[in-house]
PDB file of all heavy atoms in Angstrom:
ATOM      1  N   VAL A 201     -16.239  -2.058  -6.759  1.00  0.00           N
ATOM      2  CA  VAL A 201     -16.705  -0.862  -6.047  1.00  0.00           C
ATOM      3  C   VAL A 201     -16.064   0.353  -6.713  1.00  0.00           C
ATOM      4  O   VAL A 201     -14.945   0.753  -6.360  1.00  0.00           O
ATOM      5  CB  VAL A 201     -16.326  -0.933  -4.546  1.00  0.00           C
ATOM      6  CG1 VAL A 201     -16.899   0.264  -3.796  1.00  0.00           C
ATOM      7  CG2 VAL A 201     -16.811  -2.243  -3.926  1.00  0.00           C
ATOM      8  N   PRO A 202     -16.738   0.974  -7.679  1.00  0.00           N
ATOM      9  CA  PRO A 202     -16.114   2.017  -8.516  1.00  0.00           C
ATOM     10  C   PRO A 202     -15.576   3.214  -7.742  1.00  0.00           C
ATOM     11  O   PRO A 202     -14.577   3.806  -8.146  1.00  0.00           O
ATOM     12  CB  PRO A 202     -17.253   2.433  -9.458  1.00  0.00           C
ATOM     13  CG  PRO A 202     -18.209   1.276  -9.464  1.00  0.00           C
ATOM     14  CD  PRO A 202     -18.120   0.682  -8.087  1.00  0.00           C
ATOM     15  N   TRP A 203     -16.225   3.575  -6.622  1.00  0.00           N
ATOM     16  CA  TRP A 203     -15.816   4.792  -5.916  1.00  0.00           C
ATOM     17  C   TRP A 203     -14.653   4.567  -4.947  1.00  0.00           C
ATOM     18  O   TRP A 203     -14.073   5.524  -4.438  1.00  0.00           O
ATOM     19  CB  TRP A 203     -16.999   5.370  -5.130  1.00  0.00           C
ATOM     20  CG  TRP A 203     -17.663   4.394  -4.203  1.00  0.00           C
ATOM     21  CD1 TRP A 203     -18.767   3.632  -4.454  1.00  0.00           C
ATOM     22  CD2 TRP A 203     -17.251   4.049  -2.858  1.00  0.00           C
ATOM     23  NE1 TRP A 203     -19.072   2.844  -3.368  1.00  0.00           N
ATOM     24  CE2 TRP A 203     -18.166   3.082  -2.376  1.00  0.00           C
ATOM     25  CE3 TRP A 203     -16.206   4.470  -2.035  1.00  0.00           C
ATOM     26  CZ2 TRP A 203     -18.066   2.532  -1.109  1.00  0.00           C
ATOM     27  CZ3 TRP A 203     -16.100   3.916  -0.771  1.00  0.00           C
ATOM     28  CH2 TRP A 203     -17.018   2.966  -0.312  1.00  0.00           C
ATOM     29  N   LEU A 204     -14.310   3.313  -4.674  1.00  0.00           N
ATOM     30  CA  LEU A 204     -13.350   3.018  -3.603  1.00  0.00           C
ATOM     31  C   LEU A 204     -11.958   3.569  -3.899  1.00  0.00           C
ATOM     32  O   LEU A 204     -11.307   4.142  -3.021  1.00  0.00           O
ATOM     33  CB  LEU A 204     -13.287   1.505  -3.376  1.00  0.00           C
ATOM     34  CG  LEU A 204     -12.413   1.015  -2.219  1.00  0.00           C
ATOM     35  CD1 LEU A 204     -12.849   1.643  -0.898  1.00  0.00           C
ATOM     36  CD2 LEU A 204     -12.477  -0.514  -2.117  1.00  0.00           C
ATOM     37  N   ARG A 205     -11.507   3.425  -5.127  1.00  0.00           N
ATOM     38  CA  ARG A 205     -10.167   3.893  -5.481  1.00  0.00           C
ATOM     39  C   ARG A 205     -10.048   5.402  -5.295  1.00  0.00           C
ATOM     40  O   ARG A 205      -9.094   5.897  -4.676  1.00  0.00           O
ATOM     41  CB  ARG A 205      -9.833   3.520  -6.928  1.00  0.00           C
ATOM     42  CG  ARG A 205      -8.468   4.019  -7.399  1.00  0.00           C
ATOM     43  CD  ARG A 205      -8.244   3.699  -8.870  1.00  0.00           C
ATOM     44  NE  ARG A 205      -6.919   4.099  -9.307  1.00  0.00           N
ATOM     45  CZ  ARG A 205      -6.612   5.325  -9.729  1.00  0.00           C
ATOM     46  NH1 ARG A 205      -7.541   6.269  -9.755  1.00  0.00           N
ATOM     47  NH2 ARG A 205      -5.375   5.611 -10.101  1.00  0.00           N
ATOM     48  N   ASP A 206     -11.026   6.159  -5.823  1.00  0.00           N
ATOM     49  CA  ASP A 206     -10.965   7.618  -5.717  1.00  0.00           C
ATOM     50  C   ASP A 206     -11.074   8.070  -4.266  1.00  0.00           C
ATOM     51  O   ASP A 206     -10.431   9.053  -3.858  1.00  0.00           O
ATOM     52  CB  ASP A 206     -12.077   8.251  -6.549  1.00  0.00           C
ATOM     53  CG  ASP A 206     -11.833   8.115  -8.046  1.00  0.00           C
ATOM     54  OD1 ASP A 206     -10.674   7.856  -8.439  1.00  0.00           O
ATOM     55  OD2 ASP A 206     -12.794   8.254  -8.826  1.00  0.00           O
ATOM     56  N   HIS A 207     -11.886   7.380  -3.484  1.00  0.00           N
ATOM     57  CA  HIS A 207     -12.026   7.735  -2.071  1.00  0.00           C
ATOM     58  C   HIS A 207     -10.699   7.562  -1.337  1.00  0.00           C
ATOM     59  O   HIS A 207     -10.264   8.466  -0.598  1.00  0.00           O
ATOM     60  CB  HIS A 207     -13.103   6.864  -1.421  1.00  0.00           C
ATOM     61  CG  HIS A 207     -13.190   7.036   0.069  1.00  0.00           C
ATOM     62  ND1 HIS A 207     -13.684   8.187   0.659  1.00  0.00           N
ATOM     63  CD2 HIS A 207     -12.810   6.217   1.096  1.00  0.00           C
ATOM     64  CE1 HIS A 207     -13.618   8.073   1.977  1.00  0.00           C
ATOM     65  NE2 HIS A 207     -13.096   6.893   2.265  1.00  0.00           N
ATOM     66  N   LEU A 208     -10.060   6.429  -1.534  1.00  0.00           N
ATOM     67  CA  LEU A 208      -8.776   6.193  -0.881  1.00  0.00           C
ATOM     68  C   LEU A 208      -7.718   7.180  -1.348  1.00  0.00           C
ATOM     69  O   LEU A 208      -6.939   7.700  -0.550  1.00  0.00           O
ATOM     70  CB  LEU A 208      -8.301   4.766  -1.174  1.00  0.00           C
ATOM     71  CG  LEU A 208      -8.606   3.687  -0.135  1.00  0.00           C
ATOM     72  CD1 LEU A 208      -8.026   2.359  -0.580  1.00  0.00           C
ATOM     73  CD2 LEU A 208      -8.075   4.072   1.234  1.00  0.00           C
ATOM     74  N   GLN A 209      -7.698   7.435  -2.650  1.00  0.00           N
ATOM     75  CA  GLN A 209      -6.716   8.380  -3.177  1.00  0.00           C
ATOM     76  C   GLN A 209      -6.923   9.761  -2.575  1.00  0.00           C
ATOM     77  O   GLN A 209      -5.958  10.449  -2.224  1.00  0.00           O
ATOM     78  CB  GLN A 209      -6.803   8.450  -4.697  1.00  0.00           C
ATOM     79  CG  GLN A 209      -5.711   9.309  -5.320  1.00  0.00           C
ATOM     80  CD  GLN A 209      -5.710   9.226  -6.827  1.00  0.00           C
ATOM     81  OE1 GLN A 209      -6.762   9.138  -7.458  1.00  0.00           O
ATOM     82  NE2 GLN A 209      -4.539   9.244  -7.437  1.00  0.00           N
ATOM     83  N   GLY A 210      -8.182  10.166  -2.415  1.00  0.00           N
ATOM     84  CA  GLY A 210      -8.463  11.462  -1.802  1.00  0.00           C
ATOM     85  C   GLY A 210      -7.971  11.538  -0.371  1.00  0.00           C
ATOM     86  O   GLY A 210      -7.392  12.554   0.050  1.00  0.00           O
ATOM     87  N   GLU A 211      -8.197  10.485   0.390  1.00  0.00           N
ATOM     88  CA  GLU A 211      -7.743  10.456   1.785  1.00  0.00           C
ATOM     89  C   GLU A 211      -6.211  10.502   1.862  1.00  0.00           C
ATOM     90  O   GLU A 211      -5.636  11.212   2.689  1.00  0.00           O
ATOM     91  CB  GLU A 211      -8.257   9.187   2.478  1.00  0.00           C
ATOM     92  CG  GLU A 211      -9.762   9.164   2.717  1.00  0.00           C
ATOM     93  CD  GLU A 211     -10.176   9.975   3.935  1.00  0.00           C
ATOM     94  OE1 GLU A 211      -9.835  11.184   3.999  1.00  0.00           O
ATOM     95  OE2 GLU A 211     -10.828   9.416   4.817  1.00  0.00           O
ATOM     96  N   ILE A 212      -5.566   9.744   0.995  1.00  0.00           N
ATOM     97  CA  ILE A 212      -4.095   9.712   1.010  1.00  0.00           C
ATOM     98  C   ILE A 212      -3.526  11.067   0.617  1.00  0.00           C
ATOM     99  O   ILE A 212      -2.566  11.563   1.222  1.00  0.00           O
ATOM    100  CB  ILE A 212      -3.579   8.604   0.078  1.00  0.00           C
ATOM    101  CG1 ILE A 212      -3.923   7.224   0.663  1.00  0.00           C
ATOM    102  CG2 ILE A 212      -2.062   8.719  -0.117  1.00  0.00           C
ATOM    103  CD1 ILE A 212      -3.663   6.075  -0.281  1.00  0.00           C
ATOM    104  N   GLN A 213      -4.121  11.704  -0.389  1.00  0.00           N
ATOM    105  CA  GLN A 213      -3.624  13.017  -0.801  1.00  0.00           C
ATOM    106  C   GLN A 213      -3.863  14.063   0.284  1.00  0.00           C
ATOM    107  O   GLN A 213      -3.043  14.967   0.483  1.00  0.00           O
ATOM    108  CB  GLN A 213      -4.281  13.445  -2.124  1.00  0.00           C
ATOM    109  CG  GLN A 213      -3.856  12.610  -3.327  1.00  0.00           C
ATOM    110  CD  GLN A 213      -2.347  12.573  -3.521  1.00  0.00           C
ATOM    111  OE1 GLN A 213      -1.638  13.516  -3.195  1.00  0.00           O
ATOM    112  NE2 GLN A 213      -1.851  11.455  -4.054  1.00  0.00           N
ATOM    113  N   SER A 214      -4.977  13.948   1.013  1.00  0.00           N
ATOM    114  CA  SER A 214      -5.207  14.851   2.146  1.00  0.00           C
ATOM    115  C   SER A 214      -4.162  14.634   3.224  1.00  0.00           C
ATOM    116  O   SER A 214      -3.660  15.578   3.831  1.00  0.00           O
ATOM    117  CB  SER A 214      -6.609  14.618   2.725  1.00  0.00           C
ATOM    118  OG  SER A 214      -7.604  14.958   1.786  1.00  0.00           O
ATOM    119  N   PHE A 215      -3.819  13.364   3.454  1.00  0.00           N
ATOM    120  CA  PHE A 215      -2.791  13.031   4.442  1.00  0.00           C
ATOM    121  C   PHE A 215      -1.446  13.638   4.039  1.00  0.00           C
ATOM    122  O   PHE A 215      -0.763  14.269   4.849  1.00  0.00           O
ATOM    123  CB  PHE A 215      -2.681  11.510   4.552  1.00  0.00           C
ATOM    124  CG  PHE A 215      -1.649  11.034   5.536  1.00  0.00           C
ATOM    125  CD1 PHE A 215      -1.978  10.856   6.869  1.00  0.00           C
ATOM    126  CD2 PHE A 215      -0.347  10.763   5.130  1.00  0.00           C
ATOM    127  CE1 PHE A 215      -1.028  10.411   7.791  1.00  0.00           C
ATOM    128  CE2 PHE A 215       0.606  10.324   6.042  1.00  0.00           C
ATOM    129  CZ  PHE A 215       0.262  10.153   7.368  1.00  0.00           C
ATOM    130  N   LEU A 216      -1.079  13.460   2.770  1.00  0.00           N
ATOM    131  CA  LEU A 216       0.192  14.000   2.296  1.00  0.00           C
ATOM    132  C   LEU A 216       0.174  15.523   2.283  1.00  0.00           C
ATOM    133  O   LEU A 216       1.177  16.174   2.579  1.00  0.00           O
ATOM    134  CB  LEU A 216       0.501  13.467   0.894  1.00  0.00           C
ATOM    135  CG  LEU A 216       0.733  11.953   0.791  1.00  0.00           C
ATOM    136  CD1 LEU A 216       0.936  11.547  -0.666  1.00  0.00           C
ATOM    137  CD2 LEU A 216       1.938  11.529   1.628  1.00  0.00           C
TER     138      LEU A 216
END
Side-chain angles (χ1 to χ4, degrees):
V201 184
W203 54 265
L204 184 57
R205 178 184 183 274
D206 289 342
H207 172 71
L208 264 182
Q209 186 173 36
E211 290 280 55
I212 291 170
Q213 292 305 329
S214 295
F215 180 88
L216 295 176

